[in-house]
Amino acid sequence: TKQDYPGAPPKRALLPETLLAWKAKRMSSSLVSPSVATHLLVALFGMGSWVAINSLWVELPVVVKRLPEGWNLPAYLSVLIALGNVGPVSVTLTHHLAPGRLQERWLIHAIQLLAVGAAVFLALFWDWTTAVSGAEHSLAYLVLAFLLALVCCTSNVSFLPFMYQFPPLFVRTFFIGQGLSALLPCVLALGQGVGQLECLNGTHGNASQPHYLEENFSATTFFWLLVGLLAVSALAFLGLLLWRQEGGSSPGKSSSQESVASEESFPLQTDGAPASEGAAAESPGPEAPAKPPPASFWTRRNIYLLVLLGVCSALTNGVLPSVQSYSCLPYGGMAYHLSVVLSNIANPVACFVAMFLLCRSSLGLGLLSALGGVFGAYLMVLAALSPCPPLVGSPVGVALVVTSWILFMGLFSYLKVVIGSLLHEAGHAALVWCGTIIQVGSLVGALLMFPLTSVYHLFRSGMDCVDNCGG
């Protein structure tokens, strides 16, 4: 007997039990598999948001050996990232002055194309120097670093608003991808062997000399790997667009129907207005009552969420990363590497937890931020007391600093993805503000710490292979 479509059982074999089992299997394969694939594409898309700048930071110990700026390069990089905020400022102004004129799809295409192109040129010309005012400068590296900073900063106000077209669950997957943008460069740097050293000629007590070991592969290879990560992110975005065009709706929407229903049953607006267009569209019909006018976005709750998000971004992207080496290195290189890697693993893990456990209580979010602030304050105290913080040379000190970094990043990463999910329910403009506040908070944190670390030198680092706390 001819079958209606591939995989269907013969018509004469359609017993009730067989038919029900076949329908259940077909429904399961049509819902779960596309959803998993879409989550993967969203995560890879989000990974491309900040992977470039994170890669530049972790590769600094390698490139400073070749570039004439030396260890002044981090100061240059901080300034270039600050200048990169011209991108999100321009996008935000365009959204306000010419609503609907900026097509996010083409903006994201342009951002990704610029990122891949800049990374290719970085891999080819990162060590080229040019004479400027009689002194050698790594002009090629600095210009390309600025372009990558422009791309990363602009991604916060373009990638995240694009996710409004997807159910809220996918916003959390996007933040998992952003966590991978920090984790993957760290993994590559560890594989490269960045910062490994051995102490030689230790016959005079504290007179040992540090000998830095050669990396397993060059900075050029590292930057080509960065090109690959950016290309994968761009292809993932193309995959999302193609999936939407073929399916005729947001990918994964059917597979996340129950999740969307549960999310939208607790709208963010205080007067119970519909939280999203998708929720309102579920009950079309000529007899449906007229929708009430949407509530204003600027409610006290939304402002509270944005303030929390700004503080969270300032601490996790600006303040604490500036002093991570000061807080960890006194306890040894292993403590530093464990803190960097495990805290970056805590980021996507916390985002994954938020997919199943979402805290909607304002009080609960405040308590989580306060708890994260306690761990952040402890790490700041350790950095301020460097190079001789408490419990130096003790396994307890190592355990405390590593655990504090893991919990600090985990709590604030969870807070960030929860706030992003809640703001998703307030509409597209809310996600634009979400990305803007993330960027503003990160900028304020970086500008606050730059003079403290690079101008006034309030934090001191110890010398390698020397007992910095000896009597």
Side-chain angles (χ1 to χ4, degrees):
T1 304
K2 184 178 179 181
Q3 299 181 11
D4 294 329
Y5 36 83
K11 290 185 177 180
R12 55 181 146 186
L14 290 180
L15 298 176
E17 297 83 359
T18 306
L19 181 60
L20 290 175
W22 170 73
K23 284 185 175 181
K25 181 178 180 181
R26 180 173 177 82
M27 182 178 295
S28 175
S29 63
S30 63
L31 295 183
V32 177
S33 297
S35 177
V36 172
T38 309
H39 278 291
L40 179 61
L41 291 176
V42 170
L44 292 176
F45 169 57
M47 178 267 296
S49 57
W50 277 89
V51 70
I53 287 300
N54 290 329
S55 297
L56 292 182
W57 278 116
V58 301
E59 195 65 5
L60 275 177
V62 180
V63 300
V64 294
K65 301 176 184 178
R66 298 276 299 275
L67 299 183
E69 289 81 6
W71 278 107
N72 288 323
L73 199 59
Y76 284 89
L77 193 56
S78 299
V79 173
L80 293 174
I81 294 174
L83 294 176
N85 283 279
V86 66
V89 169
S90 302
V91 171
T92 303
L93 288 177
T94 303
H95 277 301
H96 282 275
L97 299 179
R101 298 293 298 274
L102 188 63
Q103 298 295 323
E104 284 172 350
R105 170 182 175 178
W106 298 110
L107 174 62
I108 294 174
H109 280 313
I111 288 173
Q112 292 179 327
L113 182 62
L114 178 60
V116 173
V120 168
F121 281 101
L122 185 67
L124 294 173
F125 306 114
W126 69 271
D127 56 349
W128 282 32
T129 60
T130 306
V132 179
S133 301
E136 288 291 321
H137 287 282
S138 51
L139 187 61
Y141 179 91
L142 296 175
V143 170
L144 294 170
F146 168 72
L147 293 178
L148 291 175
L150 180 68
V151 164
C152 293
C153 293
T154 310
S155 70
N156 274 343
V157 292
S158 55
F159 287 20
L160 191 56
F162 173 79
M163 293 306 300
Y164 179 67
Q165 305 176 43
F166 296 80
L169 190 63
F170 288 91
V171 175
R172 299 164 217 173
T173 305
F174 175 82
F175 280 105
I176 292 177
Q178 280 202 330
L180 294 177
S181 72
L183 175 62
L184 293 180
C186 288
V187 172
L188 292 178
L190 287 177
Q192 188 183 17
V194 173
Q196 293 185 357
L197 61 86
E198 58 182 358
C199 299
L200 301 178
N201 300 327
T203 57
H204 299 287
N206 293 338
S208 299
Q209 296 296 320
H211 173 68
Y212 293 92
L213 303 179
E214 191 70 21
E215 292 80 22
N216 297 324
F217 53 86
S218 65
T220 299
T221 302
F222 182 92
F223 290 135
W224 279 117
L225 292 173
L226 170 62
V227 173
L229 293 177
L230 291 170
V232 167
S233 177
L235 292 175
F237 179 64
L238 288 176
L240 288 175
L241 295 178
L242 292 175
W243 206 316
R244 284 183 58 219
Q245 291 175 358
E246 292 178 0
S249 62
S250 297
K253 190 169 184 177
S254 59
S255 64
S256 302
Q257 186 120 10
E258 295 182 1
S259 172
V260 176
S262 64
E263 293 290 339
E264 303 301 339
S265 63
F266 298 96
L268 190 64
Q269 287 85 351
T270 55
D271 65 349
S276 70
E277 297 175 3
E282 290 182 359
S283 57
E287 298 182 0
K291 294 189 300 182
S296 170
F297 168 71
W298 296 106
T299 62
R300 285 188 297 178
R301 175 175 169 81
N302 290 359
I303 294 174
Y304 169 73
L305 292 177
L306 290 177
V307 170
L308 277 185
L309 184 62
V311 173
C312 167
S313 301
L315 293 176
T316 58
N317 299 337
V319 176
L320 268 298
S322 300
V323 298
Q324 186 167 26
S325 59
Y326 298 104
S327 66
C328 298
L329 282 178
Y331 297 95
M334 180 59 67
Y336 176 71
H337 287 299
L338 286 176
S339 298
V340 171
V341 175
L342 295 181
S343 63
N344 281 312
I345 291 176
N347 188 332
V349 168
C351 299
F352 184 76
V353 170
M355 297 184 71
F356 306 97
L357 183 63
L358 197 71
C359 176
R360 293 179 172 273
S361 166
S362 298
L363 177 60
L365 295 178
L367 291 176
L368 288 176
S369 63
L371 183 58
V374 169
F375 291 108
Y378 174 71
L379 295 172
M380 286 295 293
V381 170
L382 295 183
L385 297 177
S386 177
C388 297
L391 300 175
V392 169
S394 168
V396 177
V398 174
L400 283 176
V401 70
V402 173
T403 303
S404 296
W405 270 106
I406 294 172
L407 294 176
F408 168 76
M409 289 300 297
L411 288 170
F412 278 114
S413 297
Y414 177 82
L415 190 70
K416 187 188 301 183
V417 69
V418 167
I419 294 175
S421 298
L422 296 178
L423 291 177
H424 176 280
E425 300 170 10
H428 178 273
L431 288 183
V432 174
W433 277 109
C434 179
T436 301
I437 293 300
I438 289 175
Q439 194 55 41
V440 169
S442 304
L443 176 62
V444 170
L447 293 180
L448 176 65
M449 295 305 296
F450 178 76
L452 300 181
T453 57
S454 302
V455 178
Y456 299 108
H457 302 287
L458 297 184
F459 301 92
R460 296 185 298 118
S461 57
M463 298 176 61
D464 295 322
C465 300
V466 172
D467 183 7
N468 295 282
C469 303

